[in-house]
Amino acid sequence: MKTRTSTPSREKLLLKAYGHMMLAKAMADLYEDNRALCPYVHSTSRGHEAVQLATAYLLKKDDWVSPYYRDESLLLGIGFTPYELMLQLLAKKDDPFSGGRSYYSHPSSQREDLPKIIHQSSATGMQAIPTTGVAQGLKYLKTQKLRTFETNPVVVCSLGDNSVTEGEVSEAFQFAALHQLPILFLVQDNDWGISVTGKEARTSDAYEFTSGFTGLERLRIDGTSFLEAYEGMEKAFSIVREQQKPVVVCAKTVLIGHHTSGVRREFYRDEQDLEIHRAKDPGLLLKAKLLEFGIESHQLANLEKEAITHTKESFERALAAPDPSPQSVMDHVFAPTPILEEKGERSPASSKEKIVMVDAAIHAIQELMYAHPEALLYGQDVGKRIGGVFREAVTLGDKFGDSRVFNTAIQEAYIIGSTVGMSAVGLKPIVEVQFADYLYPGLNQLITEISKSSYLSMGKFPISTLIRVPIGAYGGGGPYHSGSIESILATIKGIKIAYPSNAADFKGLLKAAFYDPNPVLMLEHKGLYWSKVPGTEEAKTIEPDANYVLPFGKANQILLADTDQIEKGRTLVVVTYGMGVYWAKKAAKAFEGRIEIIDLRTLIPLDEELVFERVSKHGKCLVLSEESLTNSFAQALSSRISHHCFFDLDLPIETMGAKDTPAVPINLVLEKEMLPTAEKVEAKIRELLAR
């Protein structure tokens, strides 16, 4: 027998790690041997077990971790069982993470006894921003004294090496370093990104790449050696937990398994490369170390047999588990909102002066922030120096300080995606993107992470975020500051969209959005902010009181036609929103008593009940939008109206919008020609009424 050189506690840790490694190996082997029974695509952690287990053993219950899709060993080390993981592998009803909605090793968890895990997507690298948002939120909770912890929480973001080339990962590194957030970025470098090698994809590894982010500590470790990985991760955890500083750990690993079950290793790797990787199998390396420490080989053999037996039993149980009910397919698209009816005073008797829309928003946010210390506002230029490029946040920075109202860099993806993590820790972020035209860099986070989170986490992590988006054209704003993008947004399932046209609606909808546990985009027409555009004076209203809320999905009849004209079949209803309300109101003056106007107020959810009922009543309808018309929200809505109201229609539903140019031209003559106007709307109504 060899001389023991390990302490009893270290020996116990090593045996625990070996047991988990054998579980991971047995699971991977079983999946490979039963490919016909494992129909859904999956990856395994073979080659990455050592660093993943080292990380798992250092995590505490108040910590947060974002594993990526090859991190099953990390999940085993945290405390999830093979059976629980296999329920997700086979997309079963009792899959604890997604209820059969998502892939293997795509966890989400709020279990009290384990580290917390926000919804994890398959888009490699995209988890960096939401997870950094968790660290941002934890720092806010601590500095604002909103929550205390037994020990400082650590946030771990696990990444593959090739995902570090994603621009959004750099945004996360930048924000974490700048704000000194308590996050550990674990980069597992196996030198492969599907069939792309590191040499093909990047100039340097993550350790070298992150050298330019001042304030970001860096470590290199051998991720195949459990002892070295544990000691390295122990050091990294200590830095983050004790110093509350961000750290990047570059762990060199090997890839023994396939990229995924669908992209098999034999497709793109030769035997020589595989043998190099197999020689660094963490299980074999740890076994040799344990034998060197004097552990009996039969003890290790028993652990291997136990792992195989446990794996087989778990797999048989998982195979026999029920599939989800078909009726559950629509569960958790949205979390229930508490705002279901209009409350508060819309036009208090004590109020005499009307306010502009921009002030309604400022006052609403101010009231919310006074009442809710968990509320904070950030984005580009919203801080105290100017309070937003449209002065839409002016005074808020002075009133609430730099920790609650602050500027960010030009990082639309970070601004939007960070709200995932902020929401997960119980905060209520209000963020702003300066112009609708600049929302596009944030669409990845909005679609990939935010919109799917509630659905794929079975309602554990709905994203409570309010995203303000100044939108629309007026006065020569030009091609990158005037765009209307509601049709793009309306195709995203799992978000809500408001588009107020006046101050009272703005305040009530903003309050409702804040209390809604789901992601909400507030589309705010720049031309209505200050009522400077001729004909928009009525966007000013008496200011509602502080308790006023306006539920989503409730359209407003802002102009009614005369009953006798309706009965004679001489009327038409205009369905519109935003600036369209004012074009329609001006145009309607030429047809006294014959026009009804419906202001949708919210696009998702949509008040179909009112729209269908009123269109059926009139028999004629014009859907009016500022957007370019072809393939637009307006056209989609007109199709829905036509389908539902077909037998009550006197004419096909008409739509009207901007011309199909790629952008709004800056020249005022060209801008006017491209956009709808009250005069164009009047001509269209005249044409329809004459039919």
Side-chain angles (χ1 to χ4, degrees):
M1 182 182 291
K2 296 179 186 278
T3 304
R4 292 174 182 264
T5 58
S6 177
T7 64
S9 60
R10 182 53 56 96
E11 181 179 297
K12 184 178 179 182
L13 179 66
L14 295 180
L15 285 170
K16 178 183 177 182
Y18 190 71
H20 276 131
M21 286 186 190
M22 292 305 99
L23 266 180
K25 181 180 185 302
M27 291 162 68
D29 291 345
L30 182 143
Y31 302 161
E32 183 69 7
D33 293 341
N34 292 272
R35 288 170 62 188
L37 299 175
C38 301
Y40 306 112
V41 66
H42 58 271
S43 298
T44 72
S45 58
R46 293 290 285 120
H48 293 240
E49 299 96 329
V51 70
Q52 289 183 21
L53 291 170
T55 303
Y57 298 160
L58 291 161
L59 285 162
K60 301 178 183 295
K61 67 180 181 65
D62 285 334
D63 293 338
W64 292 73
V65 60
S66 287
Y68 82 126
Y69 55 76
R70 199 178 299 286
D71 283 1
E72 70 185 353
S73 284
L74 194 153
L75 296 172
L76 289 170
I78 285 173
F80 290 103
T81 66
Y83 175 66
E84 289 174 306
L85 301 187
M86 290 172 186
L87 287 171
Q88 187 168 55
L89 172 81
L90 300 172
K92 295 295 187 174
K93 171 187 175 183
D94 295 327
D95 155 25
F97 306 131
S98 71
R101 290 171 166 84
S102 199
Y103 311 92
Y104 184 57
S105 194
H106 284 58
S108 58
S109 177
Q110 290 178 321
R111 278 179 49 174
E112 284 295 323
D113 58 329
L114 300 181
K116 311 304 178 284
I117 307 172
I118 57 176
H119 154 254
Q120 299 299 305
S121 74
S122 291
T124 57
M126 296 306 98
Q127 70 271 38
I129 286 176
T131 312
T132 304
V134 172
Q136 180 186 351
L138 290 173
K139 182 174 181 179
Y140 181 84
L141 290 172
K142 183 178 179 181
T143 57
Q144 296 293 311
K145 297 181 172 56
L146 298 180
R147 186 175 172 189
T148 58
F149 301 92
E150 292 177 17
T151 57
N152 288 329
V154 170
V155 179
V156 174
C157 180
S158 177
L159 298 159
D161 50 301
N162 271 11
S163 71
V164 175
T165 60
E166 289 275 9
E168 291 181 27
V169 176
S170 291
E171 290 192 22
F173 287 158
Q174 173 75 23
F175 200 93
L178 178 65
H179 294 275
Q180 291 293 281
L181 302 181
I183 186 168
L184 192 164
F185 296 99
L186 170 60
V187 181
Q188 300 177 58
D189 187 350
N190 64 26
D191 206 37
W192 283 100
I194 309 185
S195 67
V196 180
T197 66
K199 288 181 180 178
E200 292 176 275
R202 46 195 164 94
T203 59
S204 61
D205 68 7
Y207 183 87
E208 295 164 341
F209 175 72
T210 53
S211 63
F213 292 93
T214 304
L216 197 56
E217 297 284 329
R218 299 175 298 143
L219 293 173
R220 281 190 195 275
I221 62 174
D222 180 353
T224 63
S225 164
F226 179 78
L227 272 174
E228 183 176 330
Y230 190 86
E231 289 168 359
M233 293 305 294
E234 199 171 32
K235 180 179 179 182
F237 267 82
S238 176
I239 293 170
V240 180
R241 203 178 298 283
E242 295 172 15
Q243 301 179 42
Q244 296 285 274
K245 295 173 62 174
V247 175
V248 170
V249 176
C250 187
K252 196 65 181 176
T253 60
V254 291
L255 180 59
I256 296 173
H258 308 288
H259 168 68
T260 67
S261 58
V263 184
R264 300 176 61 77
R265 60 194 173 206
E266 57 265 26
F267 293 176
Y268 61 95
R269 299 175 69 185
D270 57 36
E271 194 60 29
Q272 182 182 4
D273 176 70
L274 286 166
E275 285 304 316
I276 291 171
H277 282 244
R278 286 173 183 142
K280 295 281 284 181
D281 185 330
L284 294 177
L285 297 179
L286 183 53
K287 184 175 185 176
K289 185 65 67 177
L290 286 164
L291 291 171
E292 180 185 318
F293 287 160
I295 301 298
E296 298 287 352
S297 59
H298 70 82
Q299 188 176 352
L300 300 181
N302 285 338
L303 287 174
E304 294 163 22
K305 290 177 184 176
E306 288 171 8
I308 293 171
T309 300
H310 188 182
T311 297
K312 288 181 177 178
E313 291 174 349
S314 298
F315 190 64
E316 290 300 322
R317 285 179 61 205
L319 282 172
D323 286 324
S325 164
Q327 288 70 39
S328 70
V329 69
M330 293 301 295
D331 291 352
H332 309 298
V333 173
F334 289 114
T337 177
I339 308 300
L340 300 175
E341 58 185 55
E342 189 172 6
K343 293 182 179 178
E345 290 192 60
R346 183 179 174 92
S347 301
S350 58
S351 298
K352 292 186 172 54
E353 291 188 13
K354 294 182 178 181
I355 63 168
V356 293
M357 278 181 60
V358 74
D359 283 346
I362 292 169
H363 297 170
I365 293 173
Q366 176 177 292
E367 289 163 2
L368 289 167
M369 292 186 72
Y370 277 132
H372 298 280
E374 70 273 21
L376 66 167
L377 170 68
Y378 57 97
Q380 297 164 26
D381 297 303
V382 302
K384 63 175 65 173
R385 289 190 188 93
I386 63 171
V389 293
F390 297 100
R391 309 291 279 168
E392 72 280 4
V394 72
T395 74
L396 295 175
D398 288 323
K399 289 175 180 175
F400 298 102
D402 294 336
S403 61
R404 295 189 67 190
V405 179
F406 56 90
N407 294 326
T408 67
I410 302 172
Q411 294 182 332
E412 288 85 1
Y414 189 87
I415 292 167
I416 290 172
S418 61
T419 66
V420 174
M422 301 287 272
S423 174
V425 299
L427 299 177
K428 302 285 281 189
I430 304 169
V431 298
E432 181 178 311
V433 172
Q434 267 187 3
F435 295 91
D437 302 87
Y438 299 138
L439 185 67
Y440 300 121
L443 281 182
N444 200 351
Q445 289 291 321
L446 184 64
I447 297 169
T448 304
E449 306 297 332
I450 290 177
S451 71
K452 295 175 174 60
S453 183
S454 180
Y455 187 67
L456 295 181
S457 70
M458 292 193 298
K460 292 191 292 293
F461 289 104
I463 309 305
S464 181
T465 179
L466 200 171
I467 302 169
R468 299 185 64 187
V469 184
I471 194 170
Y474 81 100
Y480 292 99
H481 299 79
S482 306
S484 290
I485 63 169
E486 58 265 30
S487 292
I488 293 172
L489 299 174
T491 64
I492 304 170
K493 309 304 180 281
I495 65 170
K496 297 184 179 183
I497 302 173
Y499 203 143
S501 68
N502 60 72
D505 286 353
F506 198 174
K507 186 171 185 180
L509 289 171
L510 195 148
K511 290 282 185 81
F514 179 84
Y515 291 113
D516 198 311
N518 301 288
V520 176
L521 276 85
M522 293 289 298
L523 304 184
E524 308 170 8
H525 200 291
K526 305 187 304 293
L528 301 180
Y529 266 154
W530 298 92
S531 288
K532 290 182 178 179
V533 175
T536 63
E537 184 69 19
E538 289 180 357
K540 299 178 184 178
T541 69
I542 297 294
E543 181 174 7
D545 69 13
N547 298 315
Y548 183 66
V549 290
L550 182 62
F552 278 48
K554 299 293 183 184
N556 189 23
Q557 295 167 274
I558 60 172
L559 181 67
L560 295 175
D562 293 343
T563 303
D564 64 322
Q565 296 283 5
I566 296 174
E567 291 174 352
K568 293 175 183 177
R570 303 183 70 244
T571 61
L572 174 147
V573 58
V574 180
V575 178
T576 188
Y577 54 92
M579 187 63 80
V581 168
Y582 298 93
W583 294 327
K585 287 173 81 170
K586 183 175 181 182
K589 291 178 180 178
F591 310 96
E592 187 174 354
R594 300 182 65 188
I595 305 300
E596 177 171 335
I597 301 173
I598 294 177
D599 180 359
L600 292 176
R601 302 203 284 203
T602 65
L603 309 187
I604 302 175
L606 186 73
D607 192 350
E608 290 186 340
E609 182 179 356
L610 177 66
V611 171
F612 294 163
E613 189 267 324
R614 299 312 298 168
V615 172
S616 294
K617 190 76 172 176
H618 291 272
K620 301 183 183 71
C621 174
L622 172 66
V623 179
L624 172 63
S625 165
E626 183 173 325
E627 275 193 298
S628 294
L629 197 56
T630 304
N631 302 323
S632 64
F633 169 80
Q635 287 190 333
L637 176 56
S638 72
S639 176
R640 288 153 72 181
I641 297 171
S642 295
H643 178 78
H644 191 275
C645 304
F646 181 77
F647 293 104
D648 295 312
L649 295 178
D650 299 328
L651 298 172
I653 303 296
E654 287 283 343
T655 54
M656 187 172 183
K659 295 182 185 298
D660 289 338
T661 60
V664 180
I666 195 168
N667 178 273
L668 288 172
V669 174
L670 295 177
E671 179 190 77
K672 183 177 181 180
E673 178 62 22
M674 181 224 177
L675 295 172
T677 62
E679 291 73 26
K680 293 176 186 178
V681 175
E682 180 183 335
K684 174 60 73 172
I685 292 174
R686 192 176 303 282
E687 173 195 331
L688 295 177
L689 289 176
R691 290 189 195 177

